[in-house]
Amino acid sequence: MSGLALRTEDLSRVYPSGDGQVTALSSFSHTFRPGMTAVVGPSGSGKSTLLNLLAGFDTPSSGRVWVGDTDLHRLGEAGRADFRLRHYGFVFQSHNLVAILSAQENIEFPLMLAGVPPRERRDRARALLASVGLERRSRHMPAQLSGGEAQRVAIARALVSEPEVLLADEPTGNLDSRSGGAVLDLLMAPARAGRTVILITHDPEVAARADFTLRVRDGEVREEVYA
Ligand code: ADP
């Protein structure tokens, strides 16, 4: 499984604010390369705005997001939802697992939406649970898992459809450093396998392990390159 080229072209998002407007993202052109890109910057600088535009959750004021040959924002709402299902995985700060489904059922859920037959769903979910070290937690409900375990289930769920693009918003934000390290290891694996992993983080240790760093300040994005 290889990454899909993800590219922004003069991407801008302006929000109305009181009598005026705020430029949350300013004319950002960038090609995201396979591997892990960390997006860093102070609160309010435009990181979430960027991630929401890359995901197609929000609409740009101008500019484009290309995912492979697809102009993401030219797809309709339903087209984007379907595109996300087929090509994207998401990991949030809070695991967002479905409370009434077991760990295994949570992982199967995206496959069910995609129409994958039950036996294949079960096999793939089990393999993913094992790969995040939780094969013995398959029947546990989210409330019975620790924060780190729940986040590992959430990552398994994000990876089960083998997405080319993985978007993560502060995935280690609620975790102690040991659990956070384990979660980061799991996110590094798809990056090493040539997928495009983009994560927002406040944690300098997480950013230091990424292959590329984008620093956002007042809606301006710069790539930082280390020698
Ligand atoms: P970050 O994720 O880096 O904390 P955001 O992308 O959330 O920053 O916000 C960037 C700027 O855009 C901020 O000034 C914020 O107040 C503004 N902003 C974000 N979302 C909205 C919105 N829905 N309506 C108005 N302003 C917004």
Side-chain angles (χ1 to χ4, degrees):
M1 175 68 51
S2 62
L4 267 183
L6 180 62
R7 188 162 63 82
T8 64
E9 210 178 275
D10 266 332
L11 193 65
S12 296
R13 181 63 165 104
V14 178
Y15 291 110
S17 164
D19 293 341
Q21 49 187 35
V22 51
T23 302
L25 188 70
S26 175
S27 201
F28 173 54
S29 297
H30 182 74
T31 300
F32 289 88
R33 283 165 278 174
M36 184 182 284
T37 297
V39 179
V40 303
S43 181
S45 58
K47 304 181 298 296
S48 309
T49 299
L50 172 60
L51 216 68
N52 286 334
L53 292 171
L54 293 177
F57 290 139
D58 187 21
T59 307
S61 304
S62 60
R64 292 172 197 276
V65 174
W66 291 98
V67 191
D69 294 333
T70 301
D71 183 345
L72 186 66
H73 294 277
R74 289 196 69 171
L75 300 174
E77 193 69 49
R80 279 200 299 280
D82 180 60
F83 191 86
R84 276 194 292 270
L85 206 54
R86 285 186 291 121
H87 300 290
Y88 280 65
F90 294 94
V91 181
F92 302 98
Q93 177 166 7
S94 158
H95 56 71
N96 289 358
L97 297 176
V98 180
I100 58 166
L101 298 180
S102 69
Q104 169 146 345
E105 288 164 345
N106 264 282
I107 299 171
E108 286 189 35
F109 194 55
L111 299 178
M112 202 176 78
L113 294 180
V116 174
R119 179 185 294 255
E120 185 186 339
R121 273 193 333 242
R122 199 182 58 221
D123 291 348
R124 282 169 64 177
R126 284 196 177 151
L128 253 302
L129 262 178
S131 77
V132 301
L134 293 176
E135 58 270 67
R136 301 178 67 168
R137 298 279 190 276
S138 66
R139 290 166 189 272
H140 282 53
M141 305 305 276
Q144 299 171 306
L145 300 170
S146 72
E149 287 172 342
Q151 193 61 306
R152 279 147 66 194
V153 173
I155 289 174
R157 180 184 56 180
L159 294 177
V160 75
S161 45
E162 304 194 331
E164 292 97 336
V165 178
L166 193 64
L167 300 180
D169 190 353
E170 292 283 1
T172 63
N174 282 335
L175 304 177
D176 60 67
S177 67
R178 186 153 163 269
S179 303
V183 159
L184 188 60
D185 288 342
L186 294 176
L187 293 172
M188 285 306 285
R192 291 284 80 81
R195 305 203 207 156
T196 302
V197 179
I198 302 169
L199 66 84
I200 293 179
T201 185
H202 279 110
D203 183 341
E205 284 182 37
V206 173
R209 285 188 59 191
D211 302 298
F212 315 103
T213 303
L214 295 178
R215 184 168 295 279
V216 191
R217 181 173 283 275
D218 296 334
E220 305 272 349
V221 190
R222 301 201 190 295
E223 180 165 14
E224 287 189 353
V225 182
Y226 301 100

PDB file of all heavy atoms in Angstrom, residues 23 28 33 47 50 135 165 197 210:
ATOM      1  N   THR A  23      -7.905  35.642   8.872  1.00  0.00           N
ATOM      2  CA  THR A  23      -7.315  34.701   7.913  1.00  0.00           C
ATOM      3  C   THR A  23      -6.714  33.549   8.710  1.00  0.00           C
ATOM      4  O   THR A  23      -5.637  33.679   9.283  1.00  0.00           O
ATOM      5  CB  THR A  23      -6.235  35.404   7.066  1.00  0.00           C
ATOM      6  OG1 THR A  23      -6.851  36.502   6.398  1.00  0.00           O
ATOM      7  CG2 THR A  23      -5.653  34.458   6.028  1.00  0.00           C
ATOM      8  N   PHE A  28      -1.580  28.616   1.203  1.00  0.00           N
ATOM      9  CA  PHE A  28      -0.643  27.545   1.550  1.00  0.00           C
ATOM     10  C   PHE A  28      -0.527  26.546   0.391  1.00  0.00           C
ATOM     11  O   PHE A  28      -1.508  25.920   0.003  1.00  0.00           O
ATOM     12  CB  PHE A  28      -1.137  26.846   2.817  1.00  0.00           C
ATOM     13  CG  PHE A  28      -0.356  25.618   3.208  1.00  0.00           C
ATOM     14  CD1 PHE A  28       1.025  25.658   3.369  1.00  0.00           C
ATOM     15  CD2 PHE A  28      -1.015  24.416   3.434  1.00  0.00           C
ATOM     16  CE1 PHE A  28       1.730  24.524   3.738  1.00  0.00           C
ATOM     17  CE2 PHE A  28      -0.317  23.279   3.814  1.00  0.00           C
ATOM     18  CZ  PHE A  28       1.060  23.336   3.958  1.00  0.00           C
ATOM     19  N   ARG A  33       4.606  14.640   1.611  1.00  0.00           N
ATOM     20  CA  ARG A  33       5.312  13.440   1.146  1.00  0.00           C
ATOM     21  C   ARG A  33       4.944  12.249   2.014  1.00  0.00           C
ATOM     22  O   ARG A  33       4.530  12.420   3.167  1.00  0.00           O
ATOM     23  CB  ARG A  33       6.817  13.689   1.195  1.00  0.00           C
ATOM     24  CG  ARG A  33       7.278  14.553   0.014  1.00  0.00           C
ATOM     25  CD  ARG A  33       8.665  15.103   0.233  1.00  0.00           C
ATOM     26  NE  ARG A  33       8.615  16.290   1.080  1.00  0.00           N
ATOM     27  CZ  ARG A  33       9.685  16.920   1.545  1.00  0.00           C
ATOM     28  NH1 ARG A  33      10.885  16.468   1.262  1.00  0.00           N
ATOM     29  NH2 ARG A  33       9.557  17.993   2.288  1.00  0.00           N
ATOM     30  N   LYS A  47      -3.770  25.392  12.776  1.00  0.00           N
ATOM     31  CA  LYS A  47      -3.482  23.962  12.578  1.00  0.00           C
ATOM     32  C   LYS A  47      -4.754  23.159  12.297  1.00  0.00           C
ATOM     33  O   LYS A  47      -4.796  22.361  11.364  1.00  0.00           O
ATOM     34  CB  LYS A  47      -2.773  23.381  13.819  1.00  0.00           C
ATOM     35  CG  LYS A  47      -1.496  24.118  14.194  1.00  0.00           C
ATOM     36  CD  LYS A  47      -0.812  23.503  15.401  1.00  0.00           C
ATOM     37  CE  LYS A  47      -1.619  23.523  16.680  1.00  0.00           C
ATOM     38  NZ  LYS A  47      -1.914  24.888  17.184  1.00  0.00           N
ATOM     39  N   LEU A  50      -6.216  23.864   8.918  1.00  0.00           N
ATOM     40  CA  LEU A  50      -5.514  23.134   7.859  1.00  0.00           C
ATOM     41  C   LEU A  50      -5.981  21.675   7.806  1.00  0.00           C
ATOM     42  O   LEU A  50      -6.316  21.160   6.735  1.00  0.00           O
ATOM     43  CB  LEU A  50      -3.994  23.206   8.109  1.00  0.00           C
ATOM     44  CG  LEU A  50      -3.141  22.320   7.195  1.00  0.00           C
ATOM     45  CD1 LEU A  50      -3.336  22.697   5.725  1.00  0.00           C
ATOM     46  CD2 LEU A  50      -1.655  22.435   7.574  1.00  0.00           C
ATOM     47  N   GLU A 135      -5.102  -8.131  21.502  1.00  0.00           N
ATOM     48  CA  GLU A 135      -5.960  -9.256  21.107  1.00  0.00           C
ATOM     49  C   GLU A 135      -6.798  -9.767  22.278  1.00  0.00           C
ATOM     50  O   GLU A 135      -7.872 -10.321  22.074  1.00  0.00           O
ATOM     51  CB  GLU A 135      -5.155 -10.385  20.454  1.00  0.00           C
ATOM     52  CG  GLU A 135      -4.051 -10.974  21.288  1.00  0.00           C
ATOM     53  CD  GLU A 135      -2.739 -10.242  21.086  1.00  0.00           C
ATOM     54  OE1 GLU A 135      -2.664  -9.056  21.487  1.00  0.00           O
ATOM     55  OE2 GLU A 135      -1.784 -10.824  20.563  1.00  0.00           O
ATOM     56  N   VAL A 165      -4.020   8.012   3.484  1.00  0.00           N
ATOM     57  CA  VAL A 165      -3.779   9.247   4.232  1.00  0.00           C
ATOM     58  C   VAL A 165      -4.328   9.068   5.643  1.00  0.00           C
ATOM     59  O   VAL A 165      -5.478   8.662   5.826  1.00  0.00           O
ATOM     60  CB  VAL A 165      -4.488  10.443   3.559  1.00  0.00           C
ATOM     61  CG1 VAL A 165      -4.263  11.720   4.373  1.00  0.00           C
ATOM     62  CG2 VAL A 165      -4.001  10.631   2.123  1.00  0.00           C
ATOM     63  N   VAL A 197       1.122  10.357   6.722  1.00  0.00           N
ATOM     64  CA  VAL A 197       0.581  10.547   8.063  1.00  0.00           C
ATOM     65  C   VAL A 197       0.825  12.006   8.452  1.00  0.00           C
ATOM     66  O   VAL A 197       1.960  12.478   8.412  1.00  0.00           O
ATOM     67  CB  VAL A 197       1.265   9.608   9.085  1.00  0.00           C
ATOM     68  CG1 VAL A 197       0.703   9.823  10.486  1.00  0.00           C
ATOM     69  CG2 VAL A 197       1.119   8.153   8.663  1.00  0.00           C
ATOM     70  N   ALA A 210       8.993  12.966  13.844  1.00  0.00           N
ATOM     71  CA  ALA A 210       8.371  13.044  12.517  1.00  0.00           C
ATOM     72  C   ALA A 210       9.443  13.240  11.443  1.00  0.00           C
ATOM     73  O   ALA A 210      10.563  13.681  11.728  1.00  0.00           O
ATOM     74  CB  ALA A 210       7.377  14.192  12.483  1.00  0.00           C
TER      75      ALA A 210
END
